[in-house]
């Protein structure tokens, strides 16, 4: 795709008529010698990526790979993995990425559910007698399964999200919202098993940019991350909010960043820089980015922005009716980004996906119920409130964890906070708050401040300062790992101590 091409209706149409494989082949012919993918150790051009993936795709088909068969990729954070991804798609199959950092129990779950018979390991790929197959090989179809992404499992057992080729194309059709172009060097920070990687990989390779894969050992150290950005002259990157806050401390003129994407969790306390900062709201079930909001000021919290133009959203009350303007409700989404459902989980699919009760428009026949509570602000932006799973009954009142978290952020120099409710032996929900800050916080004083800005029943019975939060395989705060205090059944002592 020519990066100078304006995203007119005609240009947009190609996203809804082709698969990524078909458009990528044209991009590769346009920029044959340009670096497509690079890591710390090596790089490959567009022509090499296209021809090597042709070779591997034909090899897979020769080994009997069937349409929609799930092929595992376990070759690490190197260009070979991107060759593998493209080859699996060209073979008409679907890929699932196995991250070595995943706990063994998670890897076993994937194997048991998906029953993949072929795994593209680094050792296997290194053993091949690679050839440059110039003839374009492609069996991809828009309606076929393309990617299996497992949810983080932060509130339940991880589920395999089935993404089709058409979902990928619908997602990256909105890349003009970020103004990506062929001169960009987009850093692949997220795991290839995380939905953010789908957008990173396919949008970069579609416009003729360079995908720069950050090695695993750098991904949890902001100093090493920043070093990598400078060495590779990265212009675009995604970072989770807690890492983005650390990046704010660097004002190095040698950084070439022009765009920082943040998301996956509520975004707070960022500072305007000489590069754009975009808050993205995304979901695996929607194949990535759903909304964008440009951050232009330092605030405790930010809206999640406006929906992609190809998505229709509905804010729904507890009875499934459209909420009144300005009222909070669950966000339901429809459009070509809505995935097929959950792999081998008909009950879970039935609970989260349904026929659209608000529209019969073609392409919008189904809705995905996000379980996220939002409200529409007067300026047209969506405000994220809380997960539906993080709403509790406290002393007979409905309490949203997000509202309490926002209050704690508002009245203290706290950087990150999580509010949970634990049920005591008597069946009562006891509200507890966990927070991280750069300085020691007096929890008694913090409680006193909270009582002046929120109702008494929303003030946590106990507050705990932590050095850092536990994080799951997708780098999100692992709420399940935050355990109830030992004094849970002694409410008076709990309040006195914490």
């Amino acid at each position: 795709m020519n990066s100078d091409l304006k995203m007119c209706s005609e240009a947009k149409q190609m996203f809804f008529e082709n698969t990524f494989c078909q458009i990528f082949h044209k991009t590769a012919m346009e920029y044959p010698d340009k670096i497509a993918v690079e890591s710390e150790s090596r790089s490959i051009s567009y022509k090499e990526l296209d021809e090597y993936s042709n070779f591997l795709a034909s090899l897979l088909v020769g080994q009997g790979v069937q349409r929609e068969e799930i092929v595992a990729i376990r070759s690490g954070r190197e260009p070979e993995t991107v060759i593998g991804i493209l080859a699996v798609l060209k073979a008409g199959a679907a890929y699932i990425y196995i991250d070595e950092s995943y706990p063994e129990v998670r890897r076993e779950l994937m194997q048991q559910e998906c029953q993949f018979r072929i795994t593209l390991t680094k050792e296997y790929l290194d053993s091949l007698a690679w050839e440059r197959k110039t003839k374009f090989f492609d069996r991809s179809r828009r309606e076929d399964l393309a990617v299996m992404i497992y949810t983080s499992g932060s509130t339940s057992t991880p589920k395999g999200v089935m993404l089709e080729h058409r979902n990928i194309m619908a997602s990256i059709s909105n890349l003009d919202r970020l103004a990506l172009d062929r001169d960009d060097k987009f850093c692949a920070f997220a795991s290839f098993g995380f939905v953010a990687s789908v957008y990173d990989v396919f949008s970069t390779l579609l416009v003729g940019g360079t995908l720069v894969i950050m090695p695993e050992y750098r991904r949890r150290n902001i100093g090493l991350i920043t070093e990598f950005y400078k060495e590779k002259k990265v212009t675009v990157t995604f970072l989770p909010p807690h890492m983005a806050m650390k990046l704010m401390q660097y004002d190095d003129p040698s950084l070439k960043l022009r765009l920082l994407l943040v998301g996956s969790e509520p975004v707070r306390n960022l500072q305007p820089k000489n590069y754009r900062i975009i808050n993205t709201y995304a979901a695996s079930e929607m194949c990535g980015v759903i909304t964008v909001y440009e951050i232009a000021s330092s605030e405790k919290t930010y809206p999640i922005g406006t929906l992609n133009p190809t998505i229709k959203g509905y804010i729904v009350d507890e009875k499934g009716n459209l909420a009144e303007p300005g009222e909070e409700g669950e966000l339901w989404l429809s459009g070509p980004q809505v995935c097929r459902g959950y792999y081998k989980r008909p009950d879970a699919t039935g609970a989260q996906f349904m026929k659209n009760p608000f529209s019969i428009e073609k392409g919008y026949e189904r809705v995905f119920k996000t379980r996220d509570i939002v409200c529409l602000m007067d300026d047209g932006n969506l405000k994220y409130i809380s997960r539906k799973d993080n709403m509790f009954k406290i002393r007979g009142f409905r309490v949203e964890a997000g509202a309490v978290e926002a209050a704690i952020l508002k009245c203290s120099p706290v950087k990150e906070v999580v509010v949970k409710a634990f049920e005591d032996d008597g069946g009562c929900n006891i509200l507890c708050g966990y927070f991280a800050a750069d300085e020691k916080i007096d929890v008694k004083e913090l409680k006193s401040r909270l009582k002046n800005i929120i109702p008494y029943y929303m003030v946590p019975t106990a507050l705990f300062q932590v050095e850092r939060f536990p994080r799951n395989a997708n780098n999100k705060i692992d709420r399940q790992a935050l355990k109830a205090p030992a004094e849970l059944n002694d409410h008076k002592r709990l309040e006195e101590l914490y």
Side-chain angles (χ1 to χ4, degrees):
M1 171 185 159
N2 189 322
S3 62
D4 297 325
L5 185 66
K6 299 296 183 184
M7 295 298 283
C8 60
S9 58
E10 183 179 343
K12 281 273 190 182
Q13 193 59 34
M14 71 176 180
F15 291 95
F16 301 96
E17 295 176 348
N18 300 280
T19 67
F20 173 78
C21 300
Q22 293 154 0
I23 297 181
F24 170 77
H25 178 60
K26 295 176 182 177
T27 305
M29 288 193 295
E30 189 171 358
Y31 309 114
D33 300 320
K34 192 169 188 291
I35 298 301
V37 186
E38 67 176 293
S39 66
E40 206 162 52
S41 58
R42 62 167 300 208
S43 63
I44 57 173
S45 69
Y46 271 86
K47 186 177 178 64
E48 289 173 320
L49 178 55
D50 196 26
E51 293 178 352
Y52 283 138
S53 59
N54 286 339
F55 165 76
L56 184 54
S58 62
L59 188 67
L60 290 172
V61 172
Q63 292 175 348
V65 167
Q66 301 296 308
R67 287 197 177 279
E68 298 203 337
E69 179 177 343
I70 299 171
V71 175
I73 299 178
R74 197 171 180 172
S75 48
R77 299 180 63 79
E78 290 292 339
E80 287 81 3
T81 290
V82 182
I83 295 174
I85 287 172
L86 196 51
V88 171
L89 298 185
K90 286 182 174 183
Y95 78 88
I96 182 170
Y97 181 77
I98 309 297
D99 197 314
E100 293 300 327
S101 67
Y102 288 165
E104 187 60 34
V105 65
R106 184 180 176 90
R107 296 200 296 264
E108 288 176 358
L109 170 69
M110 291 172 159
Q111 172 65 63
Q112 289 169 6
E113 285 198 344
C114 299
Q115 292 292 304
F116 36 82
R117 64 183 182 90
I118 295 176
T119 301
L120 303 182
T121 63
K122 185 179 185 303
E123 293 73 22
Y124 171 76
L125 295 177
D126 286 345
S127 72
L128 295 178
W130 288 93
E131 298 175 17
R132 299 275 294 270
K133 188 178 178 67
T134 57
K135 186 177 180 181
F136 181 46
F137 188 100
D138 180 36
R139 300 204 312 168
S140 63
R141 299 188 302 197
R142 286 181 51 80
E143 67 275 13
D144 283 354
L145 185 66
V147 192
M148 184 78 78
I149 295 285
Y150 269 76
T151 59
S152 63
S154 56
T155 57
S156 61
T157 303
K159 299 182 288 291
V161 176
M162 297 184 287
L163 299 175
E164 299 172 349
H165 286 269
R166 63 182 186 85
N167 300 140
I168 294 173
M169 295 307 292
S171 177
I172 63 176
S173 74
N174 299 289
L175 58 82
D176 54 322
R177 300 194 80 187
L178 305 180
L180 297 180
D181 64 38
R182 65 186 176 195
D183 295 323
D184 277 318
K185 299 191 74 174
F186 198 133
C187 180
F189 174 87
S191 165
F192 287 115
F194 185 34
V195 74
S197 74
V198 175
Y199 186 88
D200 298 354
V201 172
F202 295 113
S203 61
T204 303
L205 296 179
L206 184 137
V207 299
T210 299
L211 185 74
V212 184
I213 304 174
M214 180 177 289
E216 184 63 37
Y217 78 90
R218 289 184 181 265
R219 292 178 65 239
R220 285 169 176 76
N221 183 304
I222 192 62
L224 295 177
I225 289 171
T226 308
E227 243 177 49
F228 186 76
Y229 288 163
K230 290 190 288 186
E231 289 170 9
K232 294 297 184 180
K233 296 180 172 55
V234 167
T235 62
V236 182
T237 190
F238 165 85
L239 281 177
H242 69 287
M243 298 303 291
M245 283 192 285
K246 294 177 181 178
L247 182 67
M248 298 292 101
Q249 300 168 15
Y250 288 81
D251 286 308
D252 193 324
S254 61
L255 272 176
K256 302 298 182 184
L257 273 186
R258 72 165 188 85
L259 179 61
L260 171 64
L261 308 176
V262 290
S264 80
E265 291 184 299
V267 177
R268 299 153 174 157
N269 296 303
L270 299 186
Q271 305 161 16
K273 293 289 182 179
N274 60 352
Y275 45 82
R276 295 174 67 201
I277 306 174
I278 303 290
N279 184 15
T280 63
Y281 165 72
S284 299
E285 293 88 347
M286 295 293 292
C287 197
V289 176
I290 299 165
T291 70
V292 299
Y293 175 81
E294 184 151 5
I295 292 174
S297 61
S298 181
E299 304 290 347
K300 284 286 187 179
T301 59
Y302 304 96
I304 56 174
T306 56
L307 293 169
N308 290 342
T310 51
I311 295 174
K312 294 185 186 297
Y314 313 95
I315 300 175
V316 178
D317 64 21
E318 292 180 356
K319 295 181 179 178
N321 300 316
L322 292 175
E324 294 295 324
E327 284 189 355
E328 296 176 5
E330 183 181 1
L331 181 61
W332 291 5
L333 301 168
S334 70
Q337 285 185 224
V338 177
C339 76
R340 185 183 293 184
Y342 300 118
Y343 189 62
K344 295 182 178 178
R345 304 284 184 91
D347 291 346
T349 299
Q352 295 299 114
F353 301 86
M354 63 178 285
K355 182 179 178 182
N356 190 344
F358 309 115
S359 175
I360 57 172
E361 185 179 347
K362 186 178 179 181
Y364 298 86
E365 298 91 348
R366 296 167 66 236
V367 293
F368 164 58
K369 298 187 280 187
T370 67
R371 300 193 66 78
D372 287 324
I373 306 300
V374 303
C375 70
L376 184 64
M377 301 167 65
D378 291 339
D379 62 4
N381 285 302
L382 289 170
K383 179 181 179 182
Y384 180 87
I385 307 298
S386 179
R387 283 290 290 172
K388 195 172 181 180
D389 312 289
N390 297 328
M391 297 172 64
F392 319 106
K393 274 296 184 73
I394 306 293
R395 303 179 190 180
F397 297 94
R398 191 183 81 166
V399 173
E400 295 164 348
V404 183
E405 291 165 1
I408 293 172
L409 286 164
K410 184 177 180 181
C411 67
S412 65
V414 165
K415 286 198 164 184
E416 290 187 289
V417 58
V418 169
V419 170
K420 283 187 68 174
F422 298 98
E423 190 175 294
D424 66 12
D425 290 345
C428 295
N429 277 333
I430 307 302
L431 208 58
C432 296
Y434 302 80
F435 63 89
D438 289 336
E439 61 189 70
K440 180 68 176 175
I441 304 291
D442 185 327
V443 294
K444 298 292 179 65
E445 184 181 338
L446 178 52
K447 280 186 188 179
S448 180
R449 290 179 188 171
L450 287 172
K451 288 174 183 175
N452 291 324
I453 62 173
I454 55 177
Y456 71 93
Y457 56 84
M458 291 177 65
V459 177
T461 301
L463 288 168
F464 304 90
Q465 184 164 355
V466 298
E467 186 176 343
R468 65 179 63 87
F469 281 103
R471 296 190 178 272
N472 60 27
N474 286 354
N475 224 342
K476 295 182 180 181
I477 292 176
D478 189 350
R479 289 176 175 260
Q480 290 181 319
L482 297 171
K483 303 302 182 184
E487 303 86 358
L488 184 65
N489 290 299
D490 189 340
H491 302 174
K492 186 175 181 180
R493 180 162 178 75
L494 185 64
E495 193 158 11
E496 287 174 353
L497 288 175
Y498 310 105

